[in-house]
Amino acid sequence: MPMTEDAKELQDDLVRLRHDLHRQPEIGLHLPRTQERVLQALDGLPYEITLGKDTTSVTAVLRGTGSRAGAEAGKGERANTTEPRPAVLLRADMDGLPVQEKTGVDYTSRTDGAMHACGHDLHTSMLTGAATLLAEKQHQLQGDVVLMFQPGEEGCDGASYMIKEGVLDAAGPRVQAAYGMHVFSSLEPHGTFCTKSGVMLSASDGLEVTVLGAGGHGSAPHAAKDPVTVAAEMVTALQVMVTRQFNMFDPVVLSVGVLHAGTKRNIIPESARIEATIRTFSEESRLRMMEAVPRMLKGIAAGHGVEVHVDYQQEYPLTITNEDETTTAEQVISGLFGERRLSRWATPLSGSEDFSRVLAEVPGTFVGLSAVAPGGDPAQSPFNHSPYATFDDGVLADGAALYAELAISRLAALSAAS
């Protein structure tokens, strides 16, 4: 039976799991209940399971029992060889966001101030579905599969923790290919898979600025050192700098999300605070921003006779997909679902991902999947991270099928090439 048909048989179970995870989201690196639900889904399947030491990660290894000769003969006997067998990695992130849900769905988050607003509950459910499919087809696997259930993608760099603890080498030899998937609540029509070779997602850095002046009465600004007007000038200057010092064809995105100062309208405060996110699409622009931003802010502060503390924080690097692995994913998508379900992006997305850490270590790719409601307008649907973002359950089986088929087909190709 085709992989997609096998996956459809799991759809009801995947929906139940997804709704359960959605009702009780957990944030950060420690997701004990989510980890428990993943372990329950893997229970009874032939996986070697390792739990994270510093996080609640789950690494599950499935040893394939297929061989090239066995596959050709229609048998499921493991190859009689001492040579290392190829391994591939499939990753799903598991954490939610500090967002108060406003979707109104009947499985709305029951945790105040937390929501699966980025679809990680779908990722986790799809990978558990793939775990079942792969276990059922263990005899077809001409190598080993590593499942990476990762906490802390949302700003906690959970991938780095798992890499340090050996997820890439969990099968023995280092994995030779890695695949991640991410659902979207807008951008593309329902069920569309999105790929791009090269730079697919931007790098992400954080900027925290504290302007230190001298407080006073609002009626006598000359007797104080007003940090508010200086901070306001800095916000404007940052935007002008991006348009005048950086090539428009190598874009930089800088958005101020926090601008805070003062307690009352007639009091000049002692300090003002700015926080911003910075997205870049090349390592050259990223390094230039790290130099240019502090230089300009310190210059503005000096011109006004105030002090400034600038904390420029490197966060996630560029997500760069491997061309060959992206082609492999596109071929598998087209084979399973047809060419019409595939969208090849011409430009990167300005979101960022710590799956970039994995792709910096081994060849791999990242696939987007639209979970916009069937018939919904992707241009009008709230985007990921919105308290109104909704993700359609109908993509769960397809995501599980793609994860599983990627592992089977890539291991077959790696085995044939060895």
Side-chain angles (χ1 to χ4, degrees):
M1 190 159 48
M3 184 70 75
T4 52
E5 294 302 313
D6 287 342
K8 285 178 182 177
E9 294 188 354
L10 302 176
Q11 174 70 9
D12 290 345
D13 291 337
L14 299 184
V15 170
R16 279 191 290 271
L17 174 58
R18 186 255 162 150
H19 287 189
D20 183 39
L21 295 173
H22 194 91
R23 289 187 188 98
Q24 301 186 63
E26 296 174 296
I27 298 171
L29 295 169
H30 299 285
L31 322 173
R33 188 180 181 283
T34 305
Q35 182 189 58
E36 180 184 4
R37 292 295 286 115
V38 169
L39 293 175
Q40 289 173 357
L42 298 177
D43 187 42
L45 301 177
Y47 284 87
E48 301 168 10
I49 294 175
T50 304
L51 304 184
K53 297 177 182 177
D54 295 324
T55 74
T56 52
S57 65
V58 177
T59 300
V61 178
L62 180 64
R63 305 290 181 182
T65 58
S67 69
R68 189 166 21 162
E72 292 169 354
K75 300 177 182 178
E77 299 169 354
R78 183 153 186 159
N80 183 19
T81 178
T82 58
E83 294 182 5
R85 289 160 57 82
V88 300
L89 179 143
L90 306 174
R91 177 267 202 166
D93 42 9
M94 305 187 293
D95 55 320
L97 282 160
V99 173
Q100 185 67 46
E101 183 163 4
K102 298 179 181 179
T103 63
V105 296
D106 58 8
Y107 50 92
T108 293
S109 170
R110 296 174 182 171
T111 303
D112 190 46
M115 175 188 174
H116 270 296
C118 206
H120 297 187
D121 50 338
L122 283 84
H123 304 165
T124 303
S125 301
M126 291 189 296
L127 191 56
T128 62
T132 299
L133 294 171
L134 290 168
E136 292 172 350
K137 300 178 185 297
Q138 188 176 12
H139 62 282
Q140 295 182 23
L141 290 172
Q142 299 177 48
D144 303 326
V145 181
V146 178
L147 304 185
M148 177 181 178
F149 291 94
Q150 179 210 308
E153 188 278 329
E154 297 290 356
C156 297
D157 208 356
S160 288
Y161 286 85
M162 294 194 71
I163 290 171
K164 288 178 184 177
E165 292 184 355
V167 67
L168 301 181
D169 306 297
R174 174 151 289 209
V175 296
Q176 293 173 259
Y179 303 101
M181 202 180 316
H182 205 299
V183 294
F184 298 115
S185 60
S186 63
L187 299 180
E188 299 277 358
H190 171 84
T192 302
F193 291 92
C194 318
T195 63
K196 185 183 181 303
S197 62
V199 177
M200 185 173 185
L201 300 173
S202 66
S204 173
D205 294 321
L207 176 65
E208 296 184 2
V209 181
T210 303
V211 182
L212 300 172
H217 199 289
S219 65
H222 62 283
K225 291 184 178 180
D226 188 354
V228 176
T229 53
V230 178
E233 182 177 332
M234 288 176 172
V235 171
T236 302
L238 286 168
Q239 302 302 325
V240 173
M241 182 192 72
V242 165
T243 65
R244 290 297 177 265
Q245 296 188 33
F246 290 85
N247 189 333
M248 69 180 73
F249 298 107
D250 183 9
V252 172
V253 177
L254 188 152
S255 294
V256 173
V258 173
L259 180 57
H260 179 76
T263 58
K264 195 173 181 181
R265 66 178 180 272
N266 64 345
I267 299 174
I268 294 174
E270 290 187 339
S271 65
R273 183 172 180 79
I274 301 167
E275 295 184 23
T277 185
I278 299 171
R279 308 299 169 114
T280 49
F281 296 86
S282 71
E283 192 62 23
E284 178 185 2
S285 287
R286 190 182 196 194
L287 294 174
R288 285 188 61 204
M289 283 292 286
M290 291 174 61
E291 177 185 354
V293 168
R295 181 181 67 232
M296 186 188 69
L297 297 180
K298 290 175 182 178
I300 293 172
H304 288 278
V306 300
E307 295 183 23
V308 65
H309 294 164
V310 181
D311 184 11
Y312 197 110
Q313 304 162 352
Q314 282 191 293
E315 295 173 345
Y316 293 164
L318 294 161
T319 299
I320 303 176
T321 65
N322 177 273
E323 184 175 359
D324 291 340
E325 297 301 342
T326 302
T327 299
T328 294
E330 291 173 348
Q331 291 171 344
V332 172
I333 291 166
S334 297
L336 285 175
F337 308 106
E339 182 75 14
R340 64 179 182 82
R341 294 272 301 273
L342 176 61
S343 174
R344 297 177 176 89
W345 285 351
T347 57
L349 188 68
S350 54
S352 303
E353 252 285 346
D354 68 351
F355 190 62
S356 56
R357 306 287 190 194
V358 174
L359 297 182
E361 297 287 336
V362 297
T365 196
F366 200 54
V367 177
L369 172 57
S370 174
V372 173
D377 182 356
Q380 299 298 321
S381 301
F383 190 44
N384 296 33
H385 288 218
S386 166
Y388 299 98
T390 58
F391 303 84
D392 183 64
D393 292 328
V395 301
L396 289 170
D398 286 351
L402 178 59
Y403 269 133
E405 191 62 39
L406 281 170
I408 292 172
S409 61
R410 192 68 185 100
L411 285 174
L414 288 168
S415 179
S418 62

